[in-house]
Amino acid sequence: MTLADGIRAHLTEMTNAGTVEELWQMHLERMAGYGFDRLLYGFTRYRTTTSLGDPNDFVLLTNHSPDYTDVFIGQGLYHHAPMVNWALEHEGACSWRVLAEMLAQGNVGDAERRVIDFNLGKNVRAGYSVSFKSVSSRAKGAIALTAKAGTEQADVDAMWDEHGDDIILMNNVLHLKILTLPYVPPNQSLTKRQREALEWVGDGKTMQDIAAIMGLTQATIEKHLRLAREALNVETTAQAVAKAAFQNQMFVIDL
């Protein structure tokens, strides 16, 4: 099997993945083959001019250790991360050599320098960032590919010169596939009844209609919808329908 055949077979596997977990594990193994042993993927549908939205609503996938993510994500260091800010303003791939250039030119503020120092302390030193094309002003996705500890950026760049197009293609497919699969952020899962009630609301049914269809009282339907709103951390049922749809939690096939 040629390299091209192997990539085609891998892409077919990715497009046939049934869960985010299966897809992510597949991608981790493939990227490790190129020397990227730590990945951090993020996607938001709630971007504004001043915020990326609530981190609890992000799609976040990573194999970084908790002592890294608890600080970088949990303590909000990502707000000042130079490569995150690059991804927000650009599309495509970028070598992390730009960080050394920024430092050499003195184009780094105190907050950005703290992020860089933190990353260096966690052996997040060499790699590439890929920012995905957005079709909505509210949506943005990107992935950070971190090279193995001890790898020089020059070596990563040389590898990218040879395989970068293939790596971008595989990451684009990863991103597009994730958008089609159910993803449930922590503490935002719906029960079967809550999901069914939201589905009927999405179909335009009244409370009376839904009660008759589900064989329950209107009070019980209203309770399921209230609990769905609480689970999704929204105020209105319309917002719950939209958010559940964004997360692909509605009209899913129970396997």
Side-chain angles (χ1 to χ4, degrees):
M1 180 183 289
T2 66
L3 179 60
D5 290 337
I7 292 173
R8 279 196 293 270
H10 176 66
L11 292 175
T12 300
E13 262 194 297
M14 292 179 72
T15 58
N16 286 329
T19 66
V20 168
E21 292 77 15
E22 176 188 355
L23 176 68
W24 184 241
Q25 188 57 43
M26 201 182 298
H27 194 63
L28 289 175
E29 293 171 3
R30 193 73 185 193
M31 290 300 102
Y34 292 101
F36 299 117
D37 65 344
R38 287 156 293 165
L39 311 184
L40 175 58
Y41 169 90
F43 176 72
T44 179
R45 293 185 186 272
Y46 302 98
R47 182 185 181 188
T48 68
T49 55
T50 59
S51 170
L52 288 176
D54 186 344
N56 290 321
D57 293 332
F58 294 169
V59 177
L60 279 176
L61 301 171
T62 186
N63 63 335
H64 277 278
S65 62
D67 68 328
Y68 180 82
T69 56
D70 286 351
V71 177
F72 189 76
I73 303 297
Q75 296 184 21
L77 254 64
Y78 69 90
H79 289 297
H80 307 290
M83 295 313 300
V84 171
N85 291 324
W86 175 89
L88 292 174
E89 302 299 329
H90 299 82
E91 294 172 350
C94 184
S95 166
W96 291 2
R97 67 173 175 268
V98 300
L99 296 173
E101 295 167 359
M102 290 172 63
L103 288 167
Q105 295 167 4
N107 295 331
V108 178
D110 291 343
E112 293 172 318
R113 186 176 294 275
R114 281 195 294 273
V115 177
I116 293 173
D117 288 344
F118 171 75
N119 281 336
L120 291 176
K122 297 297 183 182
N123 280 315
V124 178
R125 296 169 175 265
Y128 264 77
S129 292
V130 180
S131 179
F132 304 110
K133 185 176 181 62
S134 298
V135 295
S136 164
S137 61
R138 301 293 304 278
K140 189 61 191 178
I143 190 167
L145 310 171
T146 302
K148 294 177 182 177
T151 305
E152 297 295 329
Q153 185 63 51
D155 295 329
V156 179
D157 290 337
M159 181 279 297
W160 196 272
D161 287 340
E162 183 176 358
H163 300 291
D165 288 344
D166 293 333
I167 295 171
I168 291 173
L169 174 60
M170 285 182 276
N171 279 280
N172 283 343
V173 171
L174 169 83
H175 173 60
L176 294 173
K177 182 64 179 180
I178 286 172
L179 299 186
T180 73
L181 292 170
Y183 177 78
V184 182
N187 303 317
Q188 291 192 18
S189 62
L190 300 172
T191 67
K192 185 176 180 179
R193 286 296 201 184
Q194 291 164 10
R195 187 178 74 211
E196 185 179 0
L198 285 178
E199 289 171 351
W200 288 121
V201 172
D203 279 342
K205 301 298 183 182
T206 66
M207 290 296 105
Q208 185 176 359
D209 292 336
I210 298 171
I213 292 168
M214 295 180 63
L216 302 170
T217 65
Q218 289 190 51
T220 301
I221 297 300
E222 290 168 356
K223 177 183 176 182
H224 286 314
L225 292 173
R226 174 177 57 79
L227 292 174
R229 293 193 298 269
E230 292 175 359
L232 295 169
N233 193 28
V234 296
E235 294 183 0
T236 70
T237 299
Q239 291 170 335
V241 170
K243 193 168 186 179
F246 282 155
Q247 296 173 353
N248 298 313
Q249 287 204 62
M250 291 173 61
F251 304 106
V252 296
I253 299 173
D254 292 321
L255 300 176

